Structures are given as C-alpha cells and as structure tokens.
Amino acid sequence: MEQDAFVSIRNLTKRFGEHVAVNDISLNVAEGHTLALLGPSGCGKTTILRCLAGLETPDSGHISLAGNVVFDHNARVNLMPEQRELGIVFQSYAVWPHMSVSENVGFPLKVRGVAKAEYDDRVARILNIVGLGAWRDKGATQLSGGQQQRVALARALVHQPRLVLFDEPMSNLDTQLRDQVRMELNILQAKLGFTAIYVTHDQAEAFSLAETVVVMNLGRIETSGPPRDVFHRPRTPFVARFLGLNVCEGKLVQANATAGGQVEVAFGESLRLRGLSGDEQKLTAGAPVLVCVRKEHIGIRKLAPGAIPQGLSGEIRAASFLGLNEEYVVALEGVELRAVQPASGLRAGDRVEVSIRPEDCIVFLAGQNRLD
C-alpha cells in the first residue's frame, strides 16, 4: 500500500446477512485524482462508497482519508459521516423543495455554524462556478434536471471538502445533458482540485471522468488501471463482456510457445480464428477457450452474387441502424458475432466477407471467470 495515499481502503468486507457485498477490497486514491468504481448492479461499488461515507459499517477492514483513520474494525474506530469532511452527490438530486437554490447550497455551511459574511461569500462563489448565480433565489425544484444536479454538486462542494463521492450522479439525466454535465465535472475537478470517487454502471462516464477505473464483479475487483488500458485490453472474460465485446467459446488448436503469444482457435468443424493469449500462463492445444473481440474490430464487406470471399464467409442475420453507424449480427458457420461499422445499408440475408485481425482477438482459458 502507498503510504501517501489520500484515500486508503484495506481489506474491506461488508456482508448483508449471508450475502457478501464487498469481499476483502483494497485500493488507494492519490490526492487530487479521480477513481471510478464501474460495474453492474449488485457488484458492490455503491456499498464501498457508503462505507467510505460512513453510511454503512463494514464487517472488517480499515479506511483512512487524508491520513486520518475514519474506520478500523480492529481498533474500533468508526467516525460519523459528518466527521469525515467529505461531500456526496447522490443519484437523486435530493434538493429540498421548500428552500431556494442558495438555501439548498448553503445548508452544509449553516449546520456548521459558518458566519453570515463567509456564508454569503462561499455560496455566491460556488453558484457562480457551477453557473447558477442568476438562479440563487429561485425554488430549487423550479430548475431543470441538469440544473438541479448542479445544485446538488454545489452543495457537496460549498464546504470545500477534499474528497467528493459521486453515486450514479448522471443516471437521471437524458443523454445530451449527461454529456454536458460530464464535461462540466471535468472542468470543475481540474479547477477546484478535489479528490473524487465515482460510482457508475455507465462506461462512458467512468472512462471520461476518471484517471483510474476499477471494474467490480461480485464484491471483488475484477481489474483496474488507466481508462485506455481497461478499455483496449480487457484482462478477463467478465470485463470483456461487460464492455460489450463478443465472447465466444472455442477450442485451442495451436498455441505459441510463449505465454501471451498468438494462438489459433477452432469453432465447429472448419472455422478458425487467430488471436493473442490474454492469460499469463501458457495455453495448451486442445484447451477450451473464450475468444473476445470488440464489435468495432470486425470488418464486414458485402459480397456480390457468385463472388468467392477471400476471407471468412458469413451472412447477416439482423441489422440495426444507429445513425452514423449500423450494428449487425453476422453468422459465421454457426457462430454469431455482433459487429458495428459505418452505415452501409446491409440487410438480413446478405452474404458478406468478414475480416478479424489476430491482434484484435483476446483468448482466455474457459472455465475461469465465466459469465454463465
């Protein structure tokens, strides 16, 4: 563990009855940095956030914030939420309808007994930062959804916390607003320099906001790293499927002598694909494997009647128009793959030539980390 970590979680475990929501988790966040906990519902990410905030009591482990221990099971330390000096932005805006925008934002200062002059200055400053200075006297629920979320953000930041927790902060916004608020959060975090932890199931949100992405699965950390590494090189079949890659079962025909090298996989009687081993250990011929390939890395070209394909031959089973792109389900000798490419007007029943580069296929041993 890094001794200078601003947020340090060690061996954190939280159970709800027989269910282990968080299973021996350890992670660090450096000061001024952002981390995203990404994963499907029930993976444990929100429970970690609530343990950090003091809203849940872990069954074991240790949490320190800015060098101060806020929870230690063995030492029987468990600070109240208000003692942890952090801000929280919840999934629901949680604005108080009987208060104006400025009263909502200033509430954390009021309960801390901040003097009126400082109170007014801080509220005015943070409202201007989030672009709501002109709405300070309006009722909070008179604002749009995006504006109410900015009220919640301003309220979380007004007492100048060094750590801000975000629990699905944009899930109630429409797509256009979500994109706008994501950019605003990036700008605010750079301007104010607070440390942030985001909980989200939205990949775009995690990859665009965080410097480190932690993918959770069944209460454990599945993988972690910089967004580009997590996105481009999934380290497990679970991560690959969660990120939307095709995951297909096959049998290893030929393997490179070096772990991580190129391998050949058979599907059925005649279909063969080459890929790169995603496992650290050497794969052996005959082993059942999972081949993972991103939809955008599958090339498709329509075949003219009677033409002989130079690569793999397939048939379009379904097509979906997405605007600039189209998504296809293409059948290759009994294996169905999803592919995304610029709109070309292919239709169900069209014969196509399919190309997949070996460097775009990741091959894992089957039976490990399955998603059945």
Side-chain angles (χ1 to χ4, degrees):
M1 286 292 170
E2 298 180 13
Q3 296 301 313
D4 59 349
F6 185 76
V7 179
S8 176
I9 299 175
R10 298 202 304 268
N11 306 115
L12 192 72
T13 297
K14 174 62 181 176
R15 299 180 181 86
F16 295 99
E18 297 297 316
H19 174 63
V20 183
V22 177
N23 195 344
D24 196 29
I25 290 292
S26 297
L27 56 86
N28 290 323
V29 187
E31 185 169 11
H33 285 243
T34 58
L35 178 142
L37 296 171
L38 174 66
S41 297
C43 70
K45 57 188 187 295
T46 295
T47 302
I48 293 175
L49 192 90
R50 291 178 63 82
C51 289
L52 272 169
L55 302 175
E56 297 285 355
T57 301
D59 293 289
S60 61
H62 173 101
I63 302 172
S64 65
L65 305 177
N68 300 315
V69 177
V70 298
F71 176 81
D72 190 310
H73 176 74
N74 293 333
R76 297 185 179 180
V77 175
N78 188 18
L79 298 190
M80 299 295 289
E82 59 270 20
Q83 296 174 298
R84 302 192 182 199
E85 289 298 316
L86 46 78
I88 308 175
V89 180
F90 292 104
Q91 179 177 356
S92 61
Y93 313 132
V95 298
W96 291 292
H98 63 287
M99 293 184 183
S100 67
V101 169
S102 62
E103 289 170 337
N104 265 276
V105 171
F107 187 78
L109 302 179
K110 183 178 180 180
V111 298
R112 287 170 171 80
V114 173
K116 187 178 187 307
E118 184 180 355
Y119 173 100
D120 291 340
D121 180 64
R122 284 206 202 177
V123 170
R125 188 164 62 247
I126 195 65
L127 284 176
N128 287 330
I129 287 173
V130 301
L132 291 177
W135 285 268
R136 59 172 295 123
D137 296 322
K138 282 189 173 291
T141 53
Q142 292 179 285
L143 304 184
S144 68
Q147 289 172 320
Q148 288 186 49
Q149 190 63 295
R150 277 188 265 168
V151 171
L153 177 61
R155 186 175 57 204
L157 295 173
V158 73
H159 64 287
Q160 300 173 340
R162 296 171 70 185
L163 172 65
V164 184
L165 308 177
F166 295 85
D167 185 10
E168 303 278 7
M170 286 166 272
S171 60
N172 289 331
L173 303 179
D174 60 41
T175 301
Q176 186 175 354
L177 266 178
R178 195 178 300 133
D179 293 342
Q180 177 185 334
V181 173
R182 272 207 306 264
M183 293 304 296
E184 290 174 352
L185 279 174
N186 266 323
I187 294 168
L188 277 175
Q189 202 277 336
K191 181 184 295 185
L192 301 177
F194 56 84
T195 307
I197 297 178
Y198 294 89
V199 161
T200 181
H201 65 276
D202 186 302
Q203 299 166 32
E205 189 175 314
F207 292 136
S208 64
L209 289 172
E211 294 159 289
T212 301
V213 174
V214 175
V215 181
M216 300 285 301
N217 177 28
L218 300 176
R220 292 183 179 275
I221 294 175
E222 191 78 18
T223 190
S224 65
R228 293 178 189 274
D229 291 353
V230 173
F231 180 82
H232 288 296
R233 296 299 297 177
R235 297 188 182 276
T236 70
F238 172 86
V239 176
R241 193 167 293 178
F242 178 74
L243 296 181
L245 278 70
N246 293 283
V247 180
C248 306
E249 296 185 2
K251 182 176 290 187
L252 202 65
V253 176
Q254 189 178 42
N256 191 298
T258 305
Q262 191 173 117
V263 298
E264 184 176 354
V265 180
F267 303 87
E269 295 297 323
S270 57
L271 179 60
R272 299 286 190 273
L273 287 179
R274 288 189 173 274
L276 301 181
S277 171
D279 286 290
E280 294 183 0
Q281 70 270 36
K282 180 179 179 296
L283 300 178
T284 57
V289 292
L290 300 173
V291 178
C292 308
V293 58
R294 194 173 297 283
K295 293 181 287 188
E296 293 81 1
H297 289 165
I298 298 175
I300 297 178
R301 184 176 66 87
K302 185 174 181 179
L303 285 173
I308 299 175
Q310 297 181 354
L312 300 170
S313 176
E315 179 182 320
I316 299 295
R317 289 288 174 84
S320 178
F321 178 66
L322 304 176
L324 294 177
N325 296 319
E326 289 176 334
E327 182 168 2
Y328 304 107
V329 177
V330 57
L332 298 172
E333 301 181 36
V335 177
E336 288 192 348
L337 298 173
R338 292 183 178 273
V340 171
Q341 67 175 31
S344 58
L346 292 173
R347 297 289 181 265
D350 286 346
R351 291 179 61 245
V352 292
E353 181 179 281
V354 179
S355 59
I356 305 174
R357 302 185 307 171
E359 57 265 37
D360 292 328
C361 292
I362 309 171
V363 182
F364 297 99
L365 280 173
Q368 298 182 9
N369 211 322
R370 295 289 298 278
L371 276 183
D372 297 333

